[in-house]
Amino acid sequence: MAEESNNTQGAPASGETQAPASPQFGLQRLYLKDCSFESPRSPKVFQGQWQPKIKFDIKTRNEKVQDDVFEVVMTLTVEARLQDEMAFLVEIQQAGIFTAKGFKESDLERILATVCPNILFPYARECIDALLVKGSFPAIMLSPINFEALYEQGKAQQTTRDAAPPTSETVQ
């Protein structure tokens, strides 16, 4: 004889609690927020031998858009100089909107600083190379970046700064 139950299917029996929902992460949208290309010495820059000094800078920031939704913006700047004169300057802001729900604060911080930039970087790299090629320069093919190592390095520096004794200043 089959047992009868007054529980609706899928609802927990009295005294039971539902397991908390597992954390969810997703990409909603990728977009180019801003881009700039300058080649102030064109066309003279193309007449000499191409052996530039390349300077590269990367920054990321994030902002909460609404509950569990964040915008992450990666700013990449690449500058090439020939004999201390600028050959080109490229700066782009590659952005994405991400959903991150159910994560502890420390995990959310890590995701926004590592996982999101890992997703954005290939698009940013492609954009920079496309701009350079359109400006008649060779693509520079930026190497992959270990955002996890950068995050750990930043946390270590912050810990060192926080552990340093405060300095006193005399104001006159």
Side-chain angles (χ1 to χ4, degrees):
M1 194 164 157
E3 291 183 39
E4 290 185 23
S5 174
N6 291 335
N7 291 336
T8 58
Q9 188 173 355
S14 61
E16 292 180 32
T17 59
Q18 277 186 318
S22 61
Q24 298 173 358
F25 175 79
L27 170 64
Q28 290 185 12
R29 183 173 300 261
L30 284 170
Y31 55 98
L32 184 62
K33 191 165 184 128
D34 189 18
C35 73
S36 171
F37 173 82
E38 298 175 35
S39 180
R41 292 194 51 233
S42 296
K44 289 193 292 185
V45 71
F46 303 120
Q47 295 171 352
Q49 189 174 9
W50 182 246
Q51 293 182 343
K53 293 178 184 170
I54 304 284
K55 181 180 168 188
F56 172 74
D57 187 44
I58 184 168
K59 295 178 183 140
T60 60
R61 64 178 168 83
N62 63 71
E63 178 181 336
K64 188 173 188 173
V65 176
Q66 56 184 288
D67 287 343
D68 305 322
V69 179
F70 302 86
E71 178 191 51
V72 177
V73 180
M74 172 184 291
T75 302
L76 288 174
T77 306
V78 180
E79 181 181 305
R81 292 189 166 274
L82 290 171
Q83 291 107 25
D84 296 328
E85 291 189 22
M86 185 178 305
F88 66 75
L89 175 66
V90 178
E91 182 172 88
I92 66 139
Q93 291 184 349
Q94 183 69 49
I97 298 175
F98 298 89
T99 302
K101 185 176 185 176
F103 291 95
K104 295 185 295 185
E105 190 64 32
S106 62
D107 292 338
L108 178 61
E109 179 185 324
R110 181 179 293 276
I111 288 167
L112 294 174
T114 61
V115 176
C116 297
N118 269 318
I119 292 170
L120 296 174
F121 184 73
Y123 296 93
R125 179 176 53 197
E126 187 277 331
C127 183
I128 285 177
D129 283 349
L131 287 169
L132 289 174
V133 169
K134 287 178 182 179
S136 195
F137 293 97
I140 57 174
M141 301 298 291
L142 297 172
S143 298
I145 295 173
N146 185 340
F147 290 100
E148 186 71 31
L150 289 176
Y151 175 77
E152 293 298 331
Q153 181 183 13
K155 292 301 267 183
Q157 288 173 351
Q158 183 180 8
T159 302
T160 302
R161 277 193 308 268
D162 292 347
T167 58
S168 60
E169 293 183 18
T170 305
V171 178
Q172 294 181 358

